[in-house]
Amino acid sequence: MSTEQEEHGEGRTIRCLVAKVGLDGHDRGAHVIARAFRDAGFEVIYSGLHKSPDEIVQAAVQEDVDVLGISILSGAHDTLVPKIIDGLEEYDAFEDTLVLVGGIVPDEDREELYELGVAEIFGPGASMEETIEFVRENVPER
């Protein structure tokens, strides 16, 4: 059993959905974090580009993910992220899902996202090690 599985308990691997929401077509960062998560031993599902909030919620619920990483560079984080969180709450999946945001989020918008329940926001230049460690330390127990 790997360290990640031991930390997560019950021999389960941490399941992550890396999601691209909205019209943002820049997915290099999403691919980089997906590969880093995979290399860390996490099971990774990538949503593909241009997904609606509802499509992301459906994927997160159907795949029973532990972590939802929302990659967004379009500036629509203040509209799209709340819709995703609302959707997770409708399915009673929010409490069991660690929600992360990656991308460009201005400092003045961060507090609102944290208040909605986003666990952490990783901007450009965030280290992969820091992100992986954050997931390992904060993934909800099941």
Side-chain angles (χ1 to χ4, degrees):
M1 183 179 305
S2 73
T3 303
E4 296 84 55
Q5 290 171 327
E6 290 171 7
E7 288 176 9
H8 193 56
E10 300 178 24
R12 291 181 353 111
T13 300
I14 296 172
R15 292 175 57 90
C16 305
L17 172 61
V18 176
K20 288 297 298 181
V21 64
L23 299 176
D24 179 9
H26 301 282
D27 63 349
R28 183 173 183 269
H31 285 280
V32 169
I33 195 66
R35 175 166 281 146
F37 281 178
R38 185 202 64 203
D39 291 348
F42 303 165
E43 183 177 342
V44 179
I45 300 131
Y46 175 61
S47 71
L49 290 171
H50 310 299
K51 299 301 178 193
S52 71
D54 187 56
E55 288 172 314
I56 291 169
V57 169
Q58 292 299 317
V61 170
Q62 290 171 7
E63 295 290 345
D64 192 28
V65 298
D66 302 298
V67 179
L68 171 56
I70 304 166
S71 173
I72 190 161
L73 296 167
S74 67
H77 51 272
D78 56 343
T79 302
L80 298 173
V81 173
K83 288 180 181 180
I84 293 169
I85 290 174
D86 287 347
L88 290 172
E89 288 174 339
E90 286 178 29
Y91 284 93
D92 293 324
F94 182 68
E95 294 294 322
D96 295 329
T97 307
L98 182 69
V99 177
L100 309 174
V101 172
I104 299 173
V105 177
D107 290 341
E108 60 268 17
D109 294 345
R110 289 173 177 250
E111 190 59 39
E112 182 178 341
L113 294 177
Y114 288 133
E115 288 174 8
L116 289 172
V118 169
E120 190 58 85
I121 300 167
F122 295 95
S127 80
M128 293 302 112
E129 295 80 17
E130 174 189 350
T131 307
I132 291 164
E133 190 61 30
F134 185 88
V135 169
R136 286 184 178 146
E137 291 176 0
N138 293 283
V139 69
E141 292 292 325
R142 293 195 182 194

